[in-house]
Structure formats: C-alpha cells, structure tokens
Amino acid sequence: MTNDPLSPELDGLDTQLFLRIADELRTQGYSINPGALPLSLGDGLSSHLSGLRDEQFSRAGVGRNAALHENDAVRRDQICWIERDSAIECAWLDWTGRLQESLNRQLFLGLFSFESHFARYAIGDFYVRHSDAFKGESNRVLSIVVHLNPHWVPGDGGELVLFTGIGGEERINVNPCHGTVIIFLSEDFPHEVLVTNRDRYSIAGWFRVNSLLRS
Ligand code: OGA
Ligand code: MN
C-alpha cells in the first residue's frame, strides 16, 4: 500500500467500512470503528495538526445562532475549521465526500453538505454531555468524530461517552485512540468528552441536508 492519501488502492477497504457504517446506522443509529481511518490519512492529519499555530485555533462556542457564546463550563476545546487549504484537508474532504455518497446510496439520507473542524483539548479540557442537533431545529443529520491521538493509553482520559438506549441511560465509552471513526445520528445520541490528561486531538464533522428542502 502506498503512503498517498489519495491512493485508489485504499478504495476497497473504504468500501467495506462505508457499507458497515451504513448497516450499523440502519440497525442501531451509530457506528464505532477503532482504527478504521486509512493510515496515511490519519498520519497526514496528525502531522498537519502538529504544524498548526496557536493563533489558527479559536475558542469553540456553545448554543445556536444568536445564542452562540463561549461557555467554559460546557466546553473548553479550541477549534479550527477545515477548508480545502492544503492537500491533506482535501484528502479528508474527499474521503468524507465518498462516505457521504455511499451513505446516500445505501440509506437514501439525501445528505447534501458537510462541515468539519479540528479540535484540540488541552490538559483538563472537556465537553459536557450535549446533542449536536435539536429535534426539528437543525439540518445536521449525521455526526462524525475521528480521534487523532497516537500512543493514547488508558489513564490519558478524554474518552468520548456516547449515551444510547431508550432515554440515553446506557453509556458507551470510546477511547480516543488514533484512527477511530465514530458516526451517529445527530439528533438521537447525546455524548460527552471526559476530562483529558494529555493534549487530545479530534475532528468533529456534520453531514447536513439542504435546509431549503426541509420543512
Ligand atoms: C463535538 C464533539 C467529540 C470528540 O465537537 O461536538 O462531540 O470526541 N466532539 O472530540
Ligand atoms: Mn458533539
């Protein structure tokens, strides 16, 4: 296998992963895939992240539209929106584009656009239990989270907790290990990021439907 994130040789593996994600979304509404991100993509994103300067990150906000404000009690991470500014960002957006196409073919979701940001949690940072979308109020349909933390070990903290089951009373703890890909229905699964004991990196993204078509 080559190291080129755009390599067509990765497509076979991606196809299997995308089909598994579609299957699990259909049956349970979420899909957790440790180590599933193509290696060259994960490593490229990691080295891109370590090259970003502090001033390229900004404090993440909380709330919707006009209510958007910083809130230290809710989340402490710093974010940097992903655009097509570098080859590795293009490779990421091409990969999520292929995932979007595949999910639309499998599940007829009508996913229309995608937005994502890098997030950096410094020691002591967290993000309390929250939903990425509120019923009927958002065009965010699917959330994706990718963890980019080589050499993460238990004790480093920063686990992602996904609340499942009726009423969200069951907890699934996901270690933020390098290359883990988590996808879930944005409205249905509250989740939180536990306090991290080391610098912790992730990407959070949202597949959206066209709001003009949604009543
Ligand atoms: C988010 C989020 C989870 C993570 O940014 O909305 O839930 O594991 N991130 O970084
Ligand atoms: Mn979230």
Side-chain angles (χ1 to χ4, degrees):
M1 202 178 287
T2 81
N3 251 350
D4 177 359
L6 303 174
S7 166
E9 291 162 40
L10 295 171
D11 282 358
L13 287 174
D14 285 347
T15 304
Q16 281 176 31
L17 172 68
F18 296 168
L19 291 176
R20 183 168 79 235
I21 290 171
D23 245 25
E24 293 185 340
L25 285 175
R26 193 186 288 117
T27 54
Q28 60 186 16
Y30 63 89
S31 179
I32 299 168
N33 305 275
L37 193 70
L39 278 182
S40 51
L41 190 51
D43 291 347
L45 288 165
S46 255
S47 56
H48 179 76
L49 269 166
S50 50
L52 289 177
R53 297 179 310 278
D54 285 352
E55 57 271 23
Q56 291 175 274
F57 285 89
S58 51
R59 283 302 313 274
V62 175
R64 288 163 269 170
N65 304 322
L68 189 74
H69 61 281
E70 289 184 2
N71 189 341
D72 271 3
V74 175
R75 68 186 295 188
R76 298 268 176 102
D77 58 319
Q78 306 245 357
I79 64 168
C80 174
W81 287 96
I82 300 178
E83 312 286 350
R84 287 188 173 271
D85 290 337
S86 60
I88 194 65
E89 287 171 286
C90 289
W92 160 252
L93 293 172
D94 290 345
W95 188 78
T96 56
R98 291 199 297 280
L99 172 59
Q100 174 177 317
E101 253 176 57
S102 170
L103 293 177
N104 277 340
R105 268 202 306 274
Q106 297 297 316
L107 303 173
F108 308 104
L109 286 172
L111 303 174
F112 178 80
S113 65
F114 180 71
E115 59 182 351
S116 59
H117 62 57
F118 296 111
R120 181 170 70 186
Y121 292 73
I123 294 175
D125 287 351
F126 55 83
Y127 191 167
V128 300
R129 179 175 168 146
H130 66 279
S131 273
D132 286 346
F134 297 90
K135 291 228 183 296
E137 282 185 37
S138 168
N139 53 3
R140 286 179 173 178
V141 173
L142 275 187
S143 299
I144 181 170
V145 175
V146 169
H147 292 138
L148 298 166
N149 303 296
H151 317 300
W152 183 94
V153 292
D156 285 345
E159 293 88 348
L160 173 68
V161 183
L162 197 67
F163 295 92
T164 64
I166 298 158
E169 76 289 351
E170 280 161 39
R171 302 165 58 107
I172 299 175
N173 270 48
V174 183
N175 297 334
C177 296
H178 199 57
T180 297
V181 178
I182 301 120
I183 313 242
F184 53 92
L185 294 172
S186 303
E187 288 184 353
D188 292 351
F189 295 93
H191 50 283
E192 78 176 292
V193 177
L194 302 182
V195 173
T196 183
N197 304 318
R198 59 172 263 185
D199 273 345
R200 173 203 194 268
Y201 293 95
S202 60
I203 293 175
W206 298 276
F207 296 95
R208 321 174 74 129
V209 291
N210 185 350
S211 48
L212 296 175
L213 301 176
R214 236 195 171 195
S215 53

